[in-house]
Amino acid sequence: MAFLEVENLVKEFTVTKKKEGLKGAVSSLFHPEKYKVRAVDNISFNIEQGEIVGFIGPNGAGKSTAVKMMTGILHPTMGSVKINGISPHKNRKAVVGKLGVVFGQRTQLYWDLRLGETFELLKRIYKIDDKMYKDNIKMLDEVLNITEIIDTPVRQLSLGQRMRGDLAAAMLHSPTMLFLDEPTIGLDIEAKHSIRNFIKQINERCGTTVILTTHDLGDVEELCKRLIVINHGKIVEDGPLNSIIERMAPYRYLVVELASPHHNLFHPAAEVVKTETLRVWFKFDKSRIAATELISDLSKTYPIRDVSVKEPDIEDMIMEIYKKPVIF
Amino acid sequence: MLIEFNNEVKGYVIMSAYFYLAKMKLLVFLSYRFEVFTSLGTNLIVVLANIYLWKAAYKGIDSVAGVKETQMLTYTIMSTLLASFFSVNIEHALQERITHGDIAIDFFRPISILLKYLAEDIGIAISSILSKLMPLLVIMTVFVQPPVPDSPMAFVLFLLSAVFSFLILWLISALISLLCFWVLQLGEMKTVKDGIVLLLSGKIIPLWLFPKKIQRMIEILPFQYVYQTPLSIYIGKVQPEQAIVPMLIQFAWILLFTSLLCFGWSRARKRVLVQGG
Amino acid sequence: MLENVKYYISVALYYFKLSLQKQFEYPAMIISCVFMIPMMYGTGILLLYFMVHNFQPLGGWSFPQLAFLFGIGYLSHGLMMVFSVQNWWIESYVLRGEFDRMLLRPLSVFFQFTVTYINFIGLVDVLVGLTIFLYSCKLINFVWSLHNIITIAFVIIGGVLIRSSIFTIFCSVAFWTKRSESLFLLLNDMLERTTQYPMTIYPYFVQFMLTFIVPIAFISFYPACEILGKDGRIVFPLEMSVYTPIIGIVMFILANMFFNLGLKKYESAGS
Ligand SMILES: Nc1ncnc2c1ncn2[C@@H]1O[C@H](COP(=O)(O)OP(=O)(O)O)[C@@H](O)[C@H]1O
Ligand SMILES: [Mg+2]
């Protein structure tokens, strides 16, 4: 039995359509028009204890909706979630006591009050005893420098500080599983770095399982051994980072440096994707043509000074996903 | 450069801009389907409760202070209709802009921000004729009694007087929101004002029921000109030939408040420009 | 069991502390309410006074009796304002996804929602209500016997429960419709008009509905009838010190159930 089991999860939302103009407004008054949106469309996967799994996909792909269902906030239209064998929808209280959840877009902290007040409240809600509370604050201080901001009203915190506060609040009760929905959104490099460091640390030190949704490829490259790629509510890829890149983007780039400017470079098995005055990028499929073959072909016709082969990175892979048409 | 731009804008463009603002407000309101129905329900409850209350009070009594039961019921119905028409939003809107510091930008707009809010409030008022006033009027006419005016002349004067009332109420609200420039934390002055209007305008309690001394004191204040004046004209408690005096007083209040507003506004403008917002 | 009760109380008390701190961040709000609330309810009681004074006792109720009715009703209104204004915000909680936070905590959401905000400004209402109530007690020569005191206490506690539950039930509609804030105003007006005036001025079917469908009449009307010895049109075999609190508890349980039913429909907020 896996630690987190997600089976055939579906979520549909009903949305009311607004009609235009005065006539439309009056007609909506009596006959509002409704339609359904499938935000999450039949996804299934398992996650083992101690994993860090990245959930990526474009805006509106359904990542947040999936996280909300896994954490028991939303009831699925169909399908099931089990954490440690228990469904958060049937037995919410038993499950959520062991979870930590952070939404980057929305804070769980009390806006008007000191950060520490939220901690004190959580201490009572989660029945955290004094020793554990002290230990955890100490640990969180080491990774997130939490004592530096604990007495500041939350509304006066910078975005990065607030995120640190949110992460600390989610870890106070030593959850076994942490869900982070876009934890690095809108942060500067330094703040991003400290948050990535935090995730790594708690995963190593406490063995916390982490599910992380993000747009930031840096997050994924640095943290996640496993990726789940989601688009239009469906899982399109699930596996180790490298093999996904291999599958999604099975091409290479050949960067050619010319001795003199030359126009209209051409090769039947490769595509020119970018040109600078003396540099040209060829994109080629390595199953169709080997790099050596391409280089020798090109050097026959053009004045080439230097070449280099570039592997696609995760960014290229994401581009591929975004371009992929949806098939219903 | 800004001043040049100001002169270039022709009156026609400005008028259509106001019209557009008013129309937008109407559309926004109608899109709140739920609110349209609940506010009708709220008004119904209030007016029906008042009607039963007055019926109980009048049981076996012909008239009090020269007002008969049917007149009083008409008064109550019309008061609810007027209240649903008098929705004024300027305090809220202006305070929002002041606290967020957006107001400095508004002073440079070709359209005066005050007129903009007036246009929006008129938009809301007109939309409430459609969404609140008419349904309530129909229900009252069918199930209780048609709130008939005392005479055609009374009706015409009532309409004019009600427009004055709207302006007085709007100006009071605008003046109060102007205070926000000086006392940022004034906060909920609006609720205090609403309380005073409720008590002293004749909206709920006709002022002729107050002891004579208090009546005379209330007459000095502008509040009774918001509800009591048009309503008394409508039911014939004040006959058309007597109506000229209270309506002139209404007009005087409008002039006074308008000049106060213009004065206060220019002071506020200077203050914002000097302090840089 | 005792451990559990202690746990819930410690959480609730901490929530109270937080709401007190929050409110003192906005002093202007407090000050304006201190002015506004007495004015609003003063208008209500003045209207009754002028009516009786200029016309006649309303439906056979003299001014002191009306004030007594008004006072009982207003006291439970004030306490409701202290403990359950948050019903007003169910709509915005739903629209802004504020229940997410509560759903993530290992505690009943209804409990968290109930204790999440204590509106100390509502104490102004309580104070005004208390003044009117005590004044009317003096006017009607109310006997402060133990029995009467217990009756009043039970009636007021029951009244608060009935009021809060009505708001919870109706405002929970927002879980389905995404809207209910304006319903709060409607209900507030309805409760005001039906708890402050004797129901005998309304048609019989209104009173019937407000007795057996939405039990508003038990908040102040029947208790006042009983204490003042007035005719309430419908006669009940037991005392109101039994009915009002029991109906209050039943309503509260119903409200809890309805709220939880709605919570299943909760959709968080699209980001
Ligand atoms: N509460 C909601 N009501 C209606 N539609 C929603 C709601 N939440 C999300 N959606 C829709 O579901 C889709 C997925 O949204 P979301 O899960 O937030 O995507 P992501 O987090 O991947 O950007 C979007 O089309 C969004 O508009
Ligand atoms: Mg999202």
Side-chain angles (χ1 to χ4, degrees):
Chain A
M1 187 184 73
F3 187 60
L4 168 76
E5 293 176 292
V6 172
E7 232 174 281
N8 304 104
L9 208 55
V10 174
K11 182 72 196 180
E12 281 174 350
F13 291 111
T14 309
V15 186
T16 313
K17 196 171 165 184
K18 287 246 148 79
K19 291 176 219 163
E20 273 180 32
L22 183 57
K23 241 171 89 189
V26 174
S27 103
S28 302
L29 194 59
F30 298 102
H31 308 284
E33 212 173 279
K34 294 188 171 170
Y35 61 97
K36 278 189 176 155
V37 177
R38 219 168 226 229
V40 169
D41 193 357
N42 201 9
I43 62 172
S44 305
F45 56 89
N46 289 339
I47 286 175
E48 300 299 334
Q49 198 145 19
E51 275 191 278
I52 301 183
V53 179
F55 242 71
I56 63 166
N59 265 327
K63 304 179 297 286
S64 300
T65 308
V67 167
K68 284 174 187 165
M69 281 194 282
M70 290 187 260
T71 51
I73 292 173
L74 284 178
H75 281 252
T77 311
M78 272 181 278
S80 72
V81 176
K82 283 201 180 110
I83 297 179
N84 230 345
I86 314 172
S87 157
H89 305 107
K90 302 210 174 89
N91 201 344
R92 186 182 65 82
K93 279 187 248 176
V95 176
V96 296
K98 296 265 163 40
L99 302 184
V101 186
V102 174
F103 292 102
Q105 316 257 28
R106 234 165 340 123
T107 181
Q108 308 283 311
L109 309 169
Y110 285 91
W111 195 244
D112 294 319
L113 303 172
R114 287 169 48 240
L115 180 57
E117 307 275 13
T118 304
F119 290 177
E120 286 284 329
L121 177 70
L122 292 175
K123 176 173 184 264
R124 284 168 177 78
I125 288 180
Y126 288 99
K127 304 184 192 172
I128 306 170
D129 62 43
D130 289 334
K131 183 176 176 312
M132 180 170 157
Y133 183 74
K134 233 187 237 154
D135 290 350
N136 276 347
I137 290 278
K138 187 162 159 276
M139 190 269 288
L140 290 167
D141 191 36
E142 281 167 31
V143 219
L144 290 171
N145 271 333
I146 212 70
T147 41
E148 150 196 317
I149 50 175
I150 202 163
D151 285 323
T152 318
V154 173
R155 64 179 130 83
Q156 290 172 14
L157 296 177
S158 72
L159 193 59
Q161 290 173 325
R162 205 209 73 204
M163 186 51 64
R164 272 153 59 198
D166 259 309
L167 288 170
M171 284 304 294
L172 269 186
H173 56 289
S174 306
T176 48
M177 186 155 198
L178 190 59
F179 288 88
L180 306 173
D181 190 19
E182 308 202 18
T184 53
I185 193 162
L187 301 185
D188 61 29
I189 298 285
E190 204 180 336
K192 269 184 189 170
H193 189 78
S194 83
I195 283 171
R196 285 176 197 158
N197 178 43
F198 160 82
I199 296 170
K200 250 190 248 168
Q201 292 270 334
I202 56 131
N203 177 254
E204 277 165 22
R205 285 201 203 179
C206 322
T208 315
T209 313
V210 180
I211 290 192
L212 155 90
T213 83
T214 183
H215 275 303
D216 192 298
L217 306 169
D219 292 348
V220 174
E221 272 177 331
E222 228 179 280
L223 296 168
C224 310
K225 296 205 179 59
R226 176 175 165 200
L227 263 194
I228 294 179
V229 184
I230 178 168
N231 197 16
H232 298 286
K234 290 192 170 76
I235 291 184
V236 286
E237 288 292 335
D238 178 355
L241 184 57
N242 296 338
S243 73
I244 291 184
I245 295 179
E246 191 79 357
R247 232 182 0 241
M248 294 295 298
Y251 46 76
R252 295 279 183 279
Y253 293 103
L254 182 71
V255 187
V256 178
E257 209 167 303
L258 298 167
S260 59
H262 201 286
H263 296 286
N264 305 324
L265 277 84
F266 173 79
H267 190 276
E271 180 192 350
V272 178
V273 287
K274 194 171 152 195
T275 33
E276 281 170 14
T277 36
L278 280 178
R279 246 189 247 207
V280 181
W281 277 258
F282 282 94
K283 179 176 161 188
F284 66 99
D285 187 336
K286 69 182 160 98
S287 61
R288 271 183 69 195
I289 186 167
T292 46
E293 202 180 327
L294 183 62
I295 295 169
S296 75
D297 282 359
L298 289 172
S299 57
K300 271 178 213 154
T301 18
Y302 305 112
I304 291 175
R305 203 162 64 190
D306 193 13
V307 291
S308 61
V309 177
K310 221 176 127 252
E311 305 249 322
D313 56 17
I314 185 162
E315 206 137 348
D316 298 307
M317 183 194 82
I318 300 274
M319 292 301 289
E320 287 299 311
I321 297 170
Y322 289 17
K323 276 191 295 193
K324 229 180 184 175
V326 228
I327 305 142
F328 287 104
Chain B
M1 207 244 7
L2 279 163
I3 294 168
E4 259 174 38
F5 179 54
N6 251 328
N7 291 339
E8 259 174 43
V9 180
K10 294 284 177 288
Y12 165 73
V13 180
I14 294 183
M15 276 319 290
S16 68
Y18 287 134
F19 177 73
Y20 177 73
L21 286 170
K23 185 182 159 198
M24 279 318 290
K25 276 285 157 181
L26 194 148
L27 286 183
V28 167
F29 183 79
L30 283 181
S31 68
Y32 290 109
R33 162 190 164 80
F34 193 76
E35 275 70 13
V36 171
F37 293 117
T38 48
S39 78
L40 178 62
T42 310
N43 284 334
L44 266 181
I45 286 170
V46 171
V47 75
L48 284 175
N50 283 341
I51 284 170
Y52 283 113
L53 204 59
W54 285 113
K55 281 192 165 172
Y58 266 102
K59 199 166 209 164
I61 293 176
D62 182 52
S63 76
V64 166
V67 177
K68 292 194 167 58
E69 182 181 331
T70 49
Q71 282 177 300
M72 195 56 232
L73 295 193
T74 300
Y75 186 100
T76 269
I77 294 170
M78 292 309 291
S79 157
T80 316
L81 292 182
L82 271 190
S84 74
F85 177 73
F86 286 170
S87 50
V88 174
N89 216 14
I90 178 176
E91 288 116 330
H92 187 72
L94 204 57
Q95 196 184 348
E96 199 112 287
R97 293 195 72 80
I98 293 170
T99 39
H100 289 135
D102 299 333
I103 197 76
I105 309 164
D106 294 331
F107 283 124
F108 289 112
R109 293 243 167 98
I111 293 185
S112 156
I113 186 91
L114 281 175
L115 287 177
K116 174 185 167 225
Y117 287 132
L118 182 60
E120 286 188 353
D121 281 337
I122 291 174
I124 298 174
I126 291 171
S127 84
S128 17
I129 294 184
L130 235 137
S131 59
K132 294 181 179 171
L133 208 144
M134 290 316 266
L136 200 60
L137 188 61
V138 170
I139 294 172
M140 285 299 116
T141 305
V142 174
F143 294 103
V144 185
Q145 66 166 42
V148 218
D150 193 50
S151 63
M153 192 58 201
F155 182 69
V156 174
L157 289 176
F158 162 79
L159 287 183
L160 188 59
S161 176
V163 170
F164 286 171
S165 295
F166 179 82
L167 287 174
I168 294 175
L169 191 64
W170 192 86
L171 285 165
I172 294 176
S173 308
L175 280 170
I176 285 178
S177 28
L178 204 58
L179 283 177
C180 274
F181 281 103
W182 286 274
V183 202
L184 259 187
Q185 271 304 317
L186 210 58
E188 308 286 304
M189 266 302 278
K190 174 180 167 27
T191 48
V192 177
K193 179 215 72 187
D194 287 347
I196 297 175
V197 169
L198 193 69
L199 181 63
L200 300 181
S201 67
K203 179 182 180 184
I204 307 283
I205 318 172
L207 297 176
W208 59 79
L209 296 183
F210 280 70
K212 281 274 170 319
K213 264 191 209 148
I214 300 179
Q215 274 185 51
R216 226 159 290 134
M217 279 189 327
I218 297 174
E219 267 164 24
I220 307 170
L221 301 170
F223 303 107
Q224 69 157 314
Y225 298 99
V226 177
Y227 280 96
Q228 173 116 343
T229 303
L231 292 173
S232 304
I233 295 172
Y234 192 85
I235 64 166
K237 161 96 172 139
V238 171
Q239 286 298 316
E241 55 273 17
Q242 308 162 333
I244 188 79
V245 176
M247 284 177 71
L248 276 177
I249 300 177
Q250 277 191 314
F251 193 68
W253 278 114
I254 293 174
L255 285 182
L256 177 66
F257 285 150
T258 309
S259 38
L260 270 178
L261 188 63
C262 289
F263 174 71
W265 189 250
S266 66
R267 293 293 295 267
R269 186 188 161 119
K270 241 182 237 154
R271 184 183 159 87
V272 169
L273 295 188
V274 169
Q275 294 186 346
Chain C
M1 174 65 197
L2 190 69
E3 270 303 298
N4 237 351
V5 172
K6 252 177 150 172
Y7 166 58
Y8 278 98
I9 289 178
S10 84
V11 172
L13 285 179
Y14 206 79
Y15 269 119
F16 294 176
K17 178 180 168 250
L18 293 188
S19 19
L20 189 64
Q21 279 175 317
K22 262 190 261 180
Q23 278 161 70
F24 276 103
E25 296 274 315
Y26 301 101
M29 180 83 182
I30 302 177
I31 294 168
S32 57
C33 283
V34 168
F35 282 103
M36 148 76 177
I37 291 168
M39 206 110 64
M40 251 177 80
Y41 288 90
T43 309
I45 192 88
L46 260 187
L47 174 65
L48 293 177
Y49 177 76
F50 288 143
M51 276 182 153
V52 175
H53 190 77
N54 287 292
F55 294 79
Q56 59 185 330
L58 288 181
W61 291 55
S62 67
F63 177 70
Q65 292 171 331
L66 288 170
F68 186 74
L69 174 71
F70 193 100
I72 295 184
Y74 195 24
L75 266 177
S76 60
H77 166 82
L79 288 168
M80 184 280 292
M81 287 305 280
V82 173
F83 291 105
S84 24
V85 258
Q86 60 269 34
N87 283 308
W88 195 338
W89 305 324
I90 290 185
E91 173 185 314
S92 77
Y93 275 34
V94 166
L95 289 179
R96 291 192 287 152
E98 300 270 344
F99 284 114
D100 288 13
R101 182 194 309 208
M102 298 185 198
L103 279 161
L104 290 174
R105 290 171 183 165
L107 256 176
S108 145
V109 176
F110 186 68
F111 171 77
Q112 291 181 65
F113 175 71
T114 307
V115 298
T116 197
Y117 196 75
I118 296 292
N119 171 32
F120 289 92
I121 295 171
L123 289 175
V124 179
D125 280 294
V126 176
L127 217 67
V128 175
L130 201 62
T131 314
I132 294 174
F133 175 71
L134 292 177
Y135 180 64
S136 72
C137 283
K138 201 170 147 243
L139 292 181
I140 62 163
N141 296 320
F142 183 73
V143 183
W144 291 96
S145 66
L146 187 63
H147 175 260
N148 275 354
I149 292 174
I150 289 175
T151 303
I152 292 290
F154 276 25
V155 159
I156 285 170
I157 292 169
V160 176
L161 286 173
I162 295 176
R163 280 179 189 272
S164 307
S165 307
I166 289 174
F167 279 119
T168 306
I169 290 171
F170 282 91
C171 293
S172 294
V173 166
F175 285 118
W176 287 272
T177 62
K178 305 265 156 53
R179 300 221 158 262
S180 72
E181 196 166 304
S182 53
L183 255 185
F184 187 96
L185 297 176
L186 184 150
L187 288 169
N188 203 36
D189 271 324
M190 180 165 91
L191 276 159
E192 234 170 62
R193 306 296 161 143
T194 48
T195 54
Q196 294 175 353
Y197 312 147
M199 285 219 177
T200 35
I201 68 168
Y202 297 124
Y204 185 76
F205 94 93
V206 173
Q207 185 183 343
F208 186 87
M209 298 263 296
L210 297 181
T211 305
F212 298 107
I213 312 288
V214 190
I216 293 175
F218 291 93
I219 297 173
S220 65
F221 176 65
Y222 291 129
C225 283
E226 183 182 292
I227 293 167
L228 300 169
K230 309 284 303 182
D231 171 25
R233 287 202 286 207
I234 300 174
V235 180
F236 295 91
L238 292 173
E239 291 192 1
M240 282 304 139
S241 54
V242 177
Y243 283 108
T244 306
I246 286 182
I247 290 172
I249 290 166
V250 170
M251 288 289 288
F252 192 68
I253 292 168
L254 281 178
N256 185 353
M257 281 162 54
F258 196 73
F259 180 91
N260 286 332
L261 205 65
L263 203 57
K264 290 224 166 71
K265 291 272 162 201
Y266 175 63
E267 291 192 332
S268 184
S271 41

